[in-house]
Each structure stands twice: as structure tokens, then as C-alpha cells.
Amino acid sequence: LNHFFEGLLNSIHSSSSLVICSDHGNIEDIAVATHTKNQVPLLVWGSAAPFFTGITAIDQVEEAVHNFLIQKNIV
């Protein structure tokens, strides 16, 4: 996995951003089939990273992505 991410991060364009986040917080108990509020991994690389500062819950990720896209005039 380390080699995968190293290769990925070394190959993306300098103007690109990468956001990787699990959509479920139930990896520790796969018997739970719904979304939870448990902590999940979040990796943000590139110019979008400042928009994710201070995120503490998965339900804040969508707003950060949206705010970044608005700032870049993409949406």
C-alpha cells in the first residue's frame, strides 16, 4: 500500500488534488452494515488540503470538497 500511494502521489500533476476517505466508519465491526460516525482515514494531497483542516467527522468531507470546487470555479 505504501508503494501504491508513493507512486500515485509522485505521478499526479502539481495542479491536481487527491482526496481519499473511507465512506464507512465500521471497519472494526463489519456486522454493522450502515454508515457510522466512527473515525475514518482521510488523506488529502495538493492544493485542496487547506480546505480539510480541522475536519473531525466524515460528514464534513463533502462540504470541504464542495468549498474547494467553488473556490476553483469548478461548480
Side-chain angles (χ1 to χ4, degrees):
L1 195 55
N2 288 344
H3 292 296
F4 169 76
F5 282 118
E6 181 181 3
L8 180 63
L9 294 174
N10 286 332
S11 67
I12 64 173
H13 192 273
S14 62
S15 65
S16 297
S17 291
L18 175 70
V19 178
I20 298 174
C21 181
S22 173
D23 70 335
H24 286 270
N26 62 342
I27 191 71
E28 67 283 348
D29 183 3
I30 60 172
V32 177
T34 62
H35 291 258
T36 70
K37 297 269 184 179
N38 295 342
Q39 293 182 341
V40 297
L42 173 64
L43 170 70
V44 183
W45 183 268
S47 60
F51 289 84
F52 294 81
T53 302
I55 286 185
T56 59
I58 191 171
D59 58 356
Q60 298 169 317
V61 173
E62 179 185 6
E63 182 179 359
V65 170
H66 188 252
N67 290 339
F68 172 72
L69 294 174
I70 288 173
Q71 190 262 350
K72 293 292 185 181
N73 294 314
I74 297 172
V75 293

